[in-house]
Amino acid sequence: MKGIILVGGMGTRLRPLTWDTPKSLVPVLNKPFLEYVLRHLKKHGVDEVILALSNLASPIQECFGDGHDLEMKISYVVEKSALGTGGAIKNAAGDLSGDSFLVLNGDIFSDFDYTDMLKFHRQHRSSATIALTPVDDPTLYGLIETTDSLRVTRFLEKPKAQEVTTNLINAGAYILEPDLLDIIPSETEYSVERQLFPSMLKAGSSVYAFPSSGYWIDIGSPEKYSRLNFDLLCGNVASYGFQNNCDIIVGYNSQIHPTARLEGPVLLGENCVVGSNVTIKGPTVIGSRCRIEEEAFVSTSVIWQGVTVGRGCRFVSGIAADDCALQQGCEIEQAVLGNNVTILKNYKLASGTKVEPRQTIG
Ligand code: GTP
């Protein structure tokens, strides 16, 4: 089975991280997010993938090239202007030859069994099979109701609390039959969730739901992006190999002063320097080339590459993108800092602040 991954969205909710980094390239445990998705697809035999691009296309193409490093075949289709989820599929699916194909929203991380899902799709002679996942609060997602035999009967996008009849939502992974492409208009903005699937139900087409109980998260917001990093680091996603939730993993050529205290789980990238009397409390991920200077305190955070946390700073429950500089004595809690942000000496940033790339604050 071939796959199409939709990675052309604006990533609005994940700003300021996604102003100049596509959502699919935000680092998760210091590797691009999409690399996990691609490796998982490969495990299920999907080794030929088309990436449907629009916003910030070239960094994605440069990162994955033709897929050789992952032993996959990756190609790219770039939209002139964003076509929405359905329009993007139509645009990308040009040379898919006659077989069922997998479509993924490019911002979901899951350990779904796509091999089983394809079996299910074929057994039910389905035109479209939609993966379902349970969530605590379905009001933020697209809710899907089915019969006992899992045939879809209703879609409800972002339902009100009183409309919620199930906790199963559209997980953003579909297997589709190629003749559905005829329904989607060419070069027109069109939504799979709001237009294609509801119109199929109206026409009586067979749309089935494939429930999954595996790990699933969409990294649409900073909170969920951090949560994925922490879940992987804490060993909460069994299929991804981190089993020991108090590990301290230190990258090549990083130096940690003997008086620094690291409480796992902590992942420290390559070529970092951690100064004297620093405390780093996990779960925390720190990218390569970072300097955490003496007496600094860092806890429950995700820090990208080339970041300096100055002497005596407190950085708690935050995200700092590439090349941020937090000068001596800053206090920062629950903040999200875009690339290249500078926080001046001794500045206390209001809790929950989001700072656009390249700003100097203080
Ligand atoms: P928000 O702006 O925060 O809603 O993020 P988003 O638009 O990136 O994500 P959304 O959840 O709306 O979309 C789900 C997936 O579809 C994401 O992986 C997007 O990258 C992708 N996507 C959304 N719109 C388009 C589009 O017009 N073209 C392409 N190629 N992909 C899209």
Side-chain angles (χ1 to χ4, degrees):
M1 183 165 60
K2 293 183 187 174
I4 296 177
I5 310 182
L6 306 175
V7 285
M10 299 298 291
T12 332
R13 292 161 297 150
L14 200 50
R15 287 177 186 163
L17 302 175
T18 43
W19 275 116
D20 30 27
T21 305
K23 185 155 55 169
S24 43
L25 295 189
V26 295
V28 170
L29 303 192
N30 298 338
K31 286 189 199 147
F33 171 75
L34 195 63
E35 186 176 323
Y36 295 85
V37 178
L38 290 165
R39 287 187 189 279
H40 184 61
L41 287 186
K42 188 167 175 243
K43 266 202 253 167
H44 287 281
V46 183
D47 55 6
E48 212 174 316
V49 167
I50 303 166
L51 298 185
L53 309 172
S54 175
N55 178 47
L56 293 173
S58 39
I60 302 175
Q61 289 170 292
E62 279 160 26
C63 181
F64 296 105
D66 62 4
H68 179 264
D69 291 352
L70 296 172
E71 295 173 21
M72 298 177 77
K73 191 172 161 208
I74 299 177
S75 56
Y76 304 87
V77 179
V78 185
E79 292 146 42
K80 288 192 202 95
S81 63
L83 291 172
T85 48
I89 295 171
K90 171 84 170 189
N91 193 54
D95 57 353
L96 283 179
S97 51
D99 281 335
S100 320
F101 59 97
L102 179 71
V103 175
L104 293 187
N105 281 356
D107 55 356
I108 61 159
F109 182 105
S110 77
D111 55 9
F112 288 173
D113 188 334
Y114 296 118
T115 312
D116 254 12
M117 187 169 167
L118 180 61
K119 220 185 279 170
F120 174 98
H121 177 80
R122 292 200 169 130
Q123 275 164 358
H124 289 78
R125 298 180 184 278
S126 178
S127 283
T129 299
I130 304 168
L132 297 186
T133 190
V135 291
D136 292 336
D137 180 8
T139 59
L140 305 171
Y141 299 95
L143 183 146
I144 293 185
E145 291 173 356
T146 67
T147 63
D148 290 346
S149 60
L150 297 170
R151 190 159 178 154
V152 175
T153 51
R154 189 156 88 120
F155 296 99
L156 212 52
E157 276 298 310
K158 307 215 165 87
K160 299 195 184 83
Q162 64 272 22
E163 293 175 311
V164 171
T165 51
T166 165
N167 68 342
L168 293 173
I169 59 136
N170 176 351
Y174 321 114
I175 295 179
L176 305 180
E177 285 305 297
D179 57 359
L180 293 178
L181 295 169
D182 299 338
I183 305 176
I184 305 176
S186 298
E187 299 193 19
T188 306
E189 197 175 335
Y190 188 86
S191 161
V192 164
E193 304 85 347
R194 290 185 171 80
Q195 291 171 281
L196 178 67
F197 292 150
S199 75
M200 289 177 72
L201 279 197
K202 250 192 201 153
S205 310
S206 62
V207 182
Y208 278 86
F210 176 76
S212 165
S213 54
Y215 183 88
W216 180 90
I217 196 166
D218 80 280
I219 57 154
S221 66
E223 297 70 32
K224 288 190 278 178
Y225 163 68
S226 297
R227 198 187 312 151
L228 173 61
N229 276 276
F230 299 158
D231 278 345
L232 287 169
L233 202 55
C234 295
N236 295 342
V237 191
S239 51
Y240 284 87
F242 284 81
Q243 302 300 333
N244 186 350
N245 72 4
C246 54
D247 275 350
I248 293 166
I249 303 165
V250 177
Y252 172 73
N253 206 29
S254 283
Q255 299 161 31
I256 301 175
H257 193 278
T259 57
R261 242 178 44 166
L262 274 61
E263 292 174 24
V266 170
L267 172 63
L268 184 70
E270 298 178 351
N271 298 306
C272 292
V273 177
V274 176
S276 59
N277 297 312
V278 160
T279 302
I280 303 176
K281 282 191 170 186
T284 286
V285 182
I286 298 177
S288 59
R289 295 183 292 100
C290 288
R291 289 181 62 80
I292 315 295
E293 295 181 347
E294 57 271 33
E295 316 277 342
F297 178 89
V298 175
S299 163
T300 331
S301 292
V302 181
I303 293 177
W304 296 11
Q305 304 184 69
V307 172
T308 300
V309 178
R311 177 181 188 155
C313 281
R314 267 179 72 80
F315 190 75
V316 175
S317 303
I319 305 172
D322 290 345
D323 301 313
C324 287
L326 320 183
Q327 294 184 354
Q328 177 180 336
C330 295
E331 286 187 43
I332 301 170
E333 198 160 329
Q334 292 190 351
V336 185
L337 313 180
N339 287 332
N340 262 296
V341 164
T342 300
I343 309 288
L344 296 178
K345 197 170 164 183
N346 294 331
Y347 191 75
K348 187 170 178 194
L349 196 65
S351 172
T353 305
K354 294 183 178 176
V355 185
E356 310 278 283
R358 293 169 288 283
Q359 300 292 307
T360 298
I361 305 280

